[in-house]
Amino acid sequence: MRALRDNSLTLVLLLPFLLFTVSILGHALTGWRVETADALRHGRAGGALLDYLGSPAFLATVFENRESEFCKGRPISS
C-alpha cells in the first residue's frame, strides 16, 4: 500500500497516456483491417501495417476522430 501511495502521481499521469496508446493502437489495427479488406475486395493486395500507419488515410481518420470528439457538445458560433 505504501508503494501505491508513494507512486500515486506517476500512476495518475500514466493512466491517460496508456488509454491514449491503447486507443490509437486499436484505431490503427481496425483501420488497417478495413483498408486491407477493401483492397482485397477490389482485387488489390493489402498493404503492411507500417505502410498504413504512414498513409494519409490513417492520419486523416485520426484527426477527424479527434476533431469530432473535441467539437462534440460545443456550439459552433459564426
Side-chain angles (χ1 to χ4, degrees):
M1 202 61 179
R2 180 179 167 94
L4 184 63
R5 187 188 68 211
D6 290 346
N7 296 308
S8 60
L9 180 61
T10 301
L11 294 173
V12 166
L13 294 177
L14 190 61
L15 183 63
F17 175 75
L18 290 175
L19 290 174
F20 176 76
T21 302
V22 169
S23 172
I24 289 293
L25 183 61
H27 187 87
L29 292 175
T30 303
W32 175 59
R33 287 187 64 193
V34 168
E35 193 80 18
T36 302
D38 190 41
L40 292 175
R41 189 173 38 241
H42 293 319
R44 295 174 295 171
L49 177 60
L50 289 177
D51 293 336
Y52 176 71
L53 292 177
S55 72
F58 173 68
L59 296 175
T61 59
V62 167
F63 287 113
E64 285 173 3
N65 187 26
R66 299 297 170 219
E67 181 181 300
S68 69
E69 290 298 322
F70 179 73
C71 293
K72 187 185 292 184
R74 293 183 176 87
I76 298 175
S77 59
S78 49

